[in-house]
Structure formats: C-alpha cells, structure tokens
C-alpha cells in the first residue's frame, strides 16, 4: 500500500514542474506502459491476499484515474501555452504603414513590340513566333539564299555546330517558312522576335530585334505593300503625314526588292519624323520570290504576296529618343526606370478595346 502511495506522491510532485510534452509522454510510459509502475500493480493483483485485494484494487484504480487525469490536464495546459505564445509572437499590428514594393517597368523594346503588334492586328495580321535557334534550311536555303551568299559567312552568322546545320537565326524571315509549311494560304502574319549577328558597335548589337511581315493571297501586289507600310509608319509615329521612299535593293527572298526610307528633320536637337529633307532607312521589303513559295509548296500560279523586315530597336530608339542601342541590353535599372513603361500603360495607338 505504501508503495502505491509513494508512486502517487512521486508523480504528483513531478507533474508540478514545468514539463515538455516529451517528458509527460515518458511519465505515461513509466506509469501505464507495458511494464509501467501502475500496469505491473494491476498484474500483481492475483498475488495479494484475498482480504486485502479488494481495497488494494480500489486504491489502485483511484490512483490510476487521478494520475491519468492530471496528465491530460497537464498536456492541455502545455498546448494552450504553446498556442498563446505563438499568437503573441505573430500578432499583426494593423496600424503599421504598408511596406512599399518595387514596381517593375516594361522595357522599351517590349513596349514597342506590343505597339507594333496592336497596329498590325488592326489591319488583320496575326502574330507568329519561331525559335531563336534555327536550322540552316529555314534561315537561308528555303529563303532562296545561295550557298555562296556573304550572309552565310562565319563573320556574320553564329553557327552552333561544325556542320553549320544549326545557328542563331540572323533574321526573323525563317518564320515565313515555318508559317507557310505549317498552314495553307492565304497568310497574313507578323513575327516579332530576337535575331543575332556577329556585330557590335553604337548602332549594332550581336542580339537585336526584328519584326517580319508576310501577306500572301490571290491578288496581292506592291501597291498593297506600300499602303500597309505607310499605314504602319503613320500609326507608329503618331503622325498624319509621312514622307516615304522606296529604294530598289536586293534580297534573295524577294523580287523586286526595296529598302524603305522615311523623311525626317532635326528640330531643336530632336528628331521629327515625317518632315524635312533627310532620309532614314528603316526596313527591307519586296514581293516574295517565287522560289520561296515553291520551297513551301505554295502554288505560284494562284498565290503571290509581299514580305518585309523591320528593325524594332531602331524604331524604338527613334520614337523614344534613345541614342545608344547598347543601353537596351545593359540591364541598368536606373536607365530602365527612366525609359521603361508602367505595366498598365496601354500603347497610345491601341484602339482594340474602344472600337
Ligand atoms: N531579312 C532581312 C534582313 O534581315 C530583312 C527583310 C528584307 C525581310 C526584305 C523581308 C524582306 O521579309 O522582304 O535584313
């Protein structure tokens, strides 16, 4: 009997201490585990003389209940304490001022691509994309570029393998090929994207941006090409009148080919597009060469059309008064916060939602 009392007192005093859940669990095992102090007392009931047995069992049950009760109260206490401590630590002071967050800017080149895409989409062009890593066939051969053409030279093109089968596309024109191989005519697409050439100075970067245009249908002629480019330039520079000049040129993938210059003048140190007697070259274009159409299995007795390629960085520099191309690609955050655009700025010529 005194043994039972001892166990009770010993644990009552132990449970008064500051305990962890692990310690309490250890006590539980010590008392009620398979060979625990209380469990073994139950097992020994049979060896107690019959006259004492009933009283012993009553006491044993009382002590068992009492200790179990105390243990579960203690566990509750510990859990409540933990929750309170957590609440105390994680208290939110709603009266504190909000933390300012840095808002990014849209890069002028991305903004310009959005503007170009929305202008062309107004007159029915859809946007296509192609990979930066191209094969030689799409980039040159299918575009009617002869084997000995200087553009294929190592000095201009970044080849990715010794056999010169893979390269970084040197222009967006291969997207013409991809589009025409994938679908059936008519085609009316633009394809903006990154292009690469081994070139670097104030006006050339090894990576730059172009937008390709392609319109193939049954009766498309050079008049449509002129009308389309005239509309685009006016919309892009937000002017009513534009001076435009088509200069005969040569590209393997067009016949006839032309380069387009726009008129400008410098007023108060700033470039003004559409006036003046100076000329600025901004794009290459022409009627798609029949060889190109044949390479993509378009029937040249039914279909013909025009294509053009515009340097996007050049346009962005002109429109936004940026004079060093390299600044575009230097990732200088101060430059970007000055020349960049807020994400919610809708291009001025974007009328898609209001019409
Ligand atoms: N691909 C030419 C270049 O990178 C630009 C170009 C010229 C594209 C005439 C065309 C085109 O589609 O018809 O210089």
């Amino acid at each position: 009997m005194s043994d039972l009392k001892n166990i009770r007192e010993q644990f009552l005093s132990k449970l008064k201490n500051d305990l962890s859940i692990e310690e309490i669990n250890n006590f539980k095992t010590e008392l009620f585990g398979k060979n625990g102090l209380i469990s073994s007392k139950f097992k020994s009931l049979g060896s107690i003389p019959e006259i004492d047995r009933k009283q012993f069992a009553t006491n044993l049950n009382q002590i068992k209940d009492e200790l179990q009760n105390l243990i579960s109260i203690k566990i509750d206490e510990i859990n409540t304490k933990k929750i309170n401590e957590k609440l105390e630590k994680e208290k939110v002071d709603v009266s504190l001022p909000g933390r300012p967050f840095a808002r990014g800017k849209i890069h002028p080149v991305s903004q310009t691509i959005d503007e170009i895409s929305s202008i062309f989409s107004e007159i029915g062009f859809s946007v296509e994309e192609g990979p930066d890593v191209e094969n030689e066939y799409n980039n040159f051969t299918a575009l009617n570029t002869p084997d000995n053409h200087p553009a294929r030279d190592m000095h201009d093109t970044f080849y990715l393998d010794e056999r010169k089968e893979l390269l970084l596309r040197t222009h967006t024109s291969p997207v013409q090929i991809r589009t025409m191989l994938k679908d059936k005519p008519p085609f009316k697409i633009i394809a903006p994207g990154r292009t690469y050439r081994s070139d670097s100075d104030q006006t050339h970067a090894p990576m730059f941006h172009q937008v390709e245009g392609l319109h193939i249908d049954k009766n498309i002629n050079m008049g449509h090409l002129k009308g389309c480019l005239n509309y685009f330039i006016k919309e892009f520079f937000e002017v009513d009148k534009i001076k435009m000049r088509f200069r005969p040129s040569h590209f393997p993938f067009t016949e006839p080919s032309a380069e387009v210059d726009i008129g400008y003048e410098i007023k108060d140190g700033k470039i003004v597009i559409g006036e003046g007697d100076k000329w600025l070259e901004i794009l290459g274009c022409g009627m798609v060469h029949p060889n190109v159409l044949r390479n993509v299995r378009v029937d040249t007795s039914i279909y013909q059309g025009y294509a053009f390629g515009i340097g996007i960085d050049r346009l962005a520099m002109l429109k936004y008064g940026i004079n060093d191309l390299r600044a575009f690609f230097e990732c200088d955050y101060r430059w970007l916060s000055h020349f960049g655009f807020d994400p919610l700025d809708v291009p001025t010529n974007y009328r898609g939602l209001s019409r």
Side-chain angles (χ1 to χ4, degrees), residues 170-173 176 197 210 212-213 251 253-254 284-286 307-309:
T170 57
H171 49 180
T172 42
S173 306
Q176 290 187 30
R197 275 177 220 174
Q210 285 189 341
E212 193 75 12
F251 299 103
F253 29 89
T254 42
C285 62
F308 55 84

PDB file of all heavy atoms in Angstrom, residues 170-173 176 197 210 212-213 251 253-254 284-286 307-309, ligand 1:
ATOM      1  N   THR A 170      19.529  34.703 -88.080  1.00  0.00           N
ATOM      2  CA  THR A 170      20.120  36.001 -88.399  1.00  0.00           C
ATOM      3  C   THR A 170      19.055  37.025 -88.758  1.00  0.00           C
ATOM      4  O   THR A 170      19.345  38.204 -88.929  1.00  0.00           O
ATOM      5  CB  THR A 170      21.089  35.874 -89.586  1.00  0.00           C
ATOM      6  OG1 THR A 170      20.359  35.328 -90.702  1.00  0.00           O
ATOM      7  CG2 THR A 170      22.242  34.959 -89.253  1.00  0.00           C
ATOM      8  N   HIS A 171      17.819  36.566 -88.905  1.00  0.00           N
ATOM      9  CA  HIS A 171      16.691  37.460 -89.175  1.00  0.00           C
ATOM     10  C   HIS A 171      15.400  36.723 -88.805  1.00  0.00           C
ATOM     11  O   HIS A 171      15.435  35.522 -88.488  1.00  0.00           O
ATOM     12  CB  HIS A 171      16.669  37.927 -90.642  1.00  0.00           C
ATOM     13  CG  HIS A 171      16.819  36.839 -91.669  1.00  0.00           C
ATOM     14  ND1 HIS A 171      16.817  37.087 -93.019  1.00  0.00           N
ATOM     15  CD2 HIS A 171      16.964  35.479 -91.548  1.00  0.00           C
ATOM     16  CE1 HIS A 171      16.966  35.955 -93.678  1.00  0.00           C
ATOM     17  NE2 HIS A 171      17.052  34.973 -92.817  1.00  0.00           N
ATOM     18  N   THR A 172      14.271  37.426 -88.825  1.00  0.00           N
ATOM     19  CA  THR A 172      13.005  36.760 -88.483  1.00  0.00           C
ATOM     20  C   THR A 172      12.365  36.112 -89.711  1.00  0.00           C
ATOM     21  O   THR A 172      11.323  35.463 -89.599  1.00  0.00           O
ATOM     22  CB  THR A 172      12.009  37.761 -87.837  1.00  0.00           C
ATOM     23  OG1 THR A 172      12.077  38.991 -88.555  1.00  0.00           O
ATOM     24  CG2 THR A 172      12.321  38.000 -86.380  1.00  0.00           C
ATOM     25  N   SER A 173      13.007  36.249 -90.879  1.00  0.00           N
ATOM     26  CA  SER A 173      12.424  35.700 -92.112  1.00  0.00           C
ATOM     27  C   SER A 173      12.135  34.189 -92.055  1.00  0.00           C
ATOM     28  O   SER A 173      11.171  33.742 -92.687  1.00  0.00           O
ATOM     29  CB  SER A 173      13.306  36.039 -93.310  1.00  0.00           C
ATOM     30  OG  SER A 173      13.523  37.428 -93.368  1.00  0.00           O
ATOM     31  N   GLN A 176       8.608  33.075 -91.806  1.00  0.00           N
ATOM     32  CA  GLN A 176       7.802  32.969 -93.033  1.00  0.00           C
ATOM     33  C   GLN A 176       7.718  31.500 -93.443  1.00  0.00           C
ATOM     34  O   GLN A 176       6.645  30.975 -93.744  1.00  0.00           O
ATOM     35  CB  GLN A 176       8.470  33.705 -94.205  1.00  0.00           C
ATOM     36  CG  GLN A 176       8.491  35.199 -94.131  1.00  0.00           C
ATOM     37  CD  GLN A 176       9.041  35.777 -95.457  1.00  0.00           C
ATOM     38  OE1 GLN A 176       8.891  35.191 -96.521  1.00  0.00           O
ATOM     39  NE2 GLN A 176       9.658  36.941 -95.373  1.00  0.00           N
ATOM     40  N   ARG A 197      23.522  38.521 -84.924  1.00  0.00           N
ATOM     41  CA  ARG A 197      24.600  38.599 -85.910  1.00  0.00           C
ATOM     42  C   ARG A 197      25.882  38.999 -85.215  1.00  0.00           C
ATOM     43  O   ARG A 197      25.848  39.724 -84.214  1.00  0.00           O
ATOM     44  CB  ARG A 197      24.285  39.638 -86.993  1.00  0.00           C
ATOM     45  CG  ARG A 197      23.438  39.064 -88.115  1.00  0.00           C
ATOM     46  CD  ARG A 197      23.082  40.107 -89.132  1.00  0.00           C
ATOM     47  NE  ARG A 197      21.702  39.912 -89.551  1.00  0.00           N
ATOM     48  CZ  ARG A 197      21.037  40.721 -90.355  1.00  0.00           C
ATOM     49  NH1 ARG A 197      21.630  41.809 -90.826  1.00  0.00           N
ATOM     50  NH2 ARG A 197      19.798  40.471 -90.683  1.00  0.00           N
ATOM     51  N   GLN A 210      13.788  42.097 -84.634  1.00  0.00           N
ATOM     52  CA  GLN A 210      13.149  42.415 -85.915  1.00  0.00           C
ATOM     53  C   GLN A 210      11.692  42.033 -85.848  1.00  0.00           C
ATOM     54  O   GLN A 210      11.294  41.214 -85.027  1.00  0.00           O
ATOM     55  CB  GLN A 210      13.771  41.588 -87.047  1.00  0.00           C
ATOM     56  CG  GLN A 210      15.129  42.029 -87.491  1.00  0.00           C
ATOM     57  CD  GLN A 210      15.569  41.298 -88.765  1.00  0.00           C
ATOM     58  OE1 GLN A 210      15.036  40.248 -89.107  1.00  0.00           O
ATOM     59  NE2 GLN A 210      16.545  41.854 -89.445  1.00  0.00           N
ATOM     60  N   GLU A 212       9.008  40.563 -88.714  1.00  0.00           N
ATOM     61  CA  GLU A 212       8.823  40.117 -90.080  1.00  0.00           C
ATOM     62  C   GLU A 212       7.352  40.300 -90.433  1.00  0.00           C
ATOM     63  O   GLU A 212       6.487  40.153 -89.575  1.00  0.00           O
ATOM     64  CB  GLU A 212       9.173  38.626 -90.137  1.00  0.00           C
ATOM     65  CG  GLU A 212       9.323  38.075 -91.509  1.00  0.00           C
ATOM     66  CD  GLU A 212      10.644  38.521 -92.133  1.00  0.00           C
ATOM     67  OE1 GLU A 212      11.510  39.049 -91.427  1.00  0.00           O
ATOM     68  OE2 GLU A 212      10.773  38.341 -93.353  1.00  0.00           O
ATOM     69  N   GLY A 213       7.084  40.614 -91.694  1.00  0.00           N
ATOM     70  CA  GLY A 213       5.690  40.673 -92.137  1.00  0.00           C
ATOM     71  C   GLY A 213       5.539  39.826 -93.376  1.00  0.00           C
ATOM     72  O   GLY A 213       6.461  39.743 -94.204  1.00  0.00           O
ATOM     73  N   PHE A 251      17.290  41.457-102.068  1.00  0.00           N
ATOM     74  CA  PHE A 251      17.263  40.398-101.063  1.00  0.00           C
ATOM     75  C   PHE A 251      16.997  39.114-101.824  1.00  0.00           C
ATOM     76  O   PHE A 251      16.205  39.124-102.777  1.00  0.00           O
ATOM     77  CB  PHE A 251      16.135  40.631-100.035  1.00  0.00           C
ATOM     78  CG  PHE A 251      16.281  41.910 -99.265  1.00  0.00           C
ATOM     79  CD1 PHE A 251      15.487  43.019 -99.575  1.00  0.00           C
ATOM     80  CD2 PHE A 251      17.208  42.025 -98.244  1.00  0.00           C
ATOM     81  CE1 PHE A 251      15.625  44.206 -98.879  1.00  0.00           C
ATOM     82  CE2 PHE A 251      17.348  43.214 -97.542  1.00  0.00           C
ATOM     83  CZ  PHE A 251      16.564  44.309 -97.852  1.00  0.00           C
ATOM     84  N   PHE A 253      15.243  36.663-101.081  1.00  0.00           N
ATOM     85  CA  PHE A 253      13.896  36.105-100.899  1.00  0.00           C
ATOM     86  C   PHE A 253      12.784  36.978-101.471  1.00  0.00           C
ATOM     87  O   PHE A 253      11.603  36.669-101.301  1.00  0.00           O
ATOM     88  CB  PHE A 253      13.631  35.805 -99.423  1.00  0.00           C
ATOM     89  CG  PHE A 253      14.389  36.701 -98.474  1.00  0.00           C
ATOM     90  CD1 PHE A 253      13.848  37.905 -98.060  1.00  0.00           C
ATOM     91  CD2 PHE A 253      15.663  36.340 -98.043  1.00  0.00           C
ATOM     92  CE1 PHE A 253      14.564  38.730 -97.200  1.00  0.00           C
ATOM     93  CE2 PHE A 253      16.383  37.163 -97.188  1.00  0.00           C
ATOM     94  CZ  PHE A 253      15.833  38.356 -96.776  1.00  0.00           C
ATOM     95  N   THR A 254      13.143  38.131-102.092  1.00  0.00           N
ATOM     96  CA  THR A 254      12.101  38.967-102.707  1.00  0.00           C
ATOM     97  C   THR A 254      12.526  39.397-104.109  1.00  0.00           C
ATOM     98  O   THR A 254      13.705  39.543-104.398  1.00  0.00           O
ATOM     99  CB  THR A 254      11.842  40.229-101.848  1.00  0.00           C
ATOM    100  OG1 THR A 254      13.093  40.741-101.408  1.00  0.00           O
ATOM    101  CG2 THR A 254      10.932  39.945-100.682  1.00  0.00           C
ATOM    102  N   GLY A 284      13.453  46.607 -94.890  1.00  0.00           N
ATOM    103  CA  GLY A 284      13.627  45.976 -96.192  1.00  0.00           C
ATOM    104  C   GLY A 284      12.328  45.266 -96.549  1.00  0.00           C
ATOM    105  O   GLY A 284      11.600  44.802 -95.669  1.00  0.00           O
ATOM    106  N   CYS A 285      12.032  45.192 -97.847  1.00  0.00           N
ATOM    107  CA  CYS A 285      10.756  44.571 -98.224  1.00  0.00           C
ATOM    108  C   CYS A 285      10.777  44.144 -99.690  1.00  0.00           C
ATOM    109  O   CYS A 285      11.770  44.359-100.401  1.00  0.00           O
ATOM    110  CB  CYS A 285       9.601  45.534 -97.991  1.00  0.00           C
ATOM    111  SG  CYS A 285       9.734  47.029 -98.978  1.00  0.00           S
ATOM    112  N   GLY A 286       9.692  43.583-100.150  1.00  0.00           N
ATOM    113  CA  GLY A 286       9.605  43.208-101.560  1.00  0.00           C
ATOM    114  C   GLY A 286       8.481  42.214-101.781  1.00  0.00           C
ATOM    115  O   GLY A 286       7.754  41.851-100.851  1.00  0.00           O
ATOM    116  N   ALA A 307       6.516  40.736 -98.485  1.00  0.00           N
ATOM    117  CA  ALA A 307       7.099  40.495 -97.161  1.00  0.00           C
ATOM    118  C   ALA A 307       7.912  41.726 -96.788  1.00  0.00           C
ATOM    119  O   ALA A 307       8.306  42.506 -97.659  1.00  0.00           O
ATOM    120  CB  ALA A 307       7.993  39.264 -97.192  1.00  0.00           C
ATOM    121  N   PHE A 308       8.127  41.892 -95.501  1.00  0.00           N
ATOM    122  CA  PHE A 308       9.002  42.985 -95.061  1.00  0.00           C
ATOM    123  C   PHE A 308       9.679  42.596 -93.755  1.00  0.00           C
ATOM    124  O   PHE A 308       9.215  41.701 -93.035  1.00  0.00           O
ATOM    125  CB  PHE A 308       8.219  44.300 -94.894  1.00  0.00           C
ATOM    126  CG  PHE A 308       7.025  44.201 -93.979  1.00  0.00           C
ATOM    127  CD1 PHE A 308       7.162  44.312 -92.604  1.00  0.00           C
ATOM    128  CD2 PHE A 308       5.747  43.996 -94.515  1.00  0.00           C
ATOM    129  CE1 PHE A 308       6.054  44.225 -91.774  1.00  0.00           C
ATOM    130  CE2 PHE A 308       4.632  43.909 -93.684  1.00  0.00           C
ATOM    131  CZ  PHE A 308       4.785  44.018 -92.314  1.00  0.00           C
ATOM    132  N   GLY A 309      10.805  43.251 -93.468  1.00  0.00           N
ATOM    133  CA  GLY A 309      11.512  43.026 -92.212  1.00  0.00           C
ATOM    134  C   GLY A 309      11.934  44.372 -91.645  1.00  0.00           C
ATOM    135  O   GLY A 309      12.591  45.151 -92.324  1.00  0.00           O
TER     136      GLY A 309
HETATM  137  N1  LIG B   1      15.559  39.590 -93.566  1.00  0.00           N
HETATM  138  C1  LIG B   1      16.084  40.887 -93.981  1.00  0.00           C
HETATM  139  C2  LIG B   1      17.240  41.287 -93.095  1.00  0.00           C
HETATM  140  O1  LIG B   1      17.364  40.782 -92.051  1.00  0.00           O
HETATM  141  C3  LIG B   1      15.006  41.932 -93.919  1.00  0.00           C
HETATM  142  C4  LIG B   1      13.958  41.698 -94.933  1.00  0.00           C
HETATM  143  C5  LIG B   1      14.068  42.270 -96.171  1.00  0.00           C
HETATM  144  C6  LIG B   1      12.876  40.889 -94.649  1.00  0.00           C
HETATM  145  C7  LIG B   1      13.105  42.070 -97.137  1.00  0.00           C
HETATM  146  C8  LIG B   1      11.904  40.679 -95.598  1.00  0.00           C
HETATM  147  C9  LIG B   1      12.041  41.280 -96.841  1.00  0.00           C
HETATM  148  O2  LIG B   1      10.840  39.904 -95.377  1.00  0.00           O
HETATM  149  O3  LIG B   1      11.073  41.075 -97.764  1.00  0.00           O
HETATM  150  O4  LIG B   1      17.976  42.131 -93.448  1.00  0.00           O
END
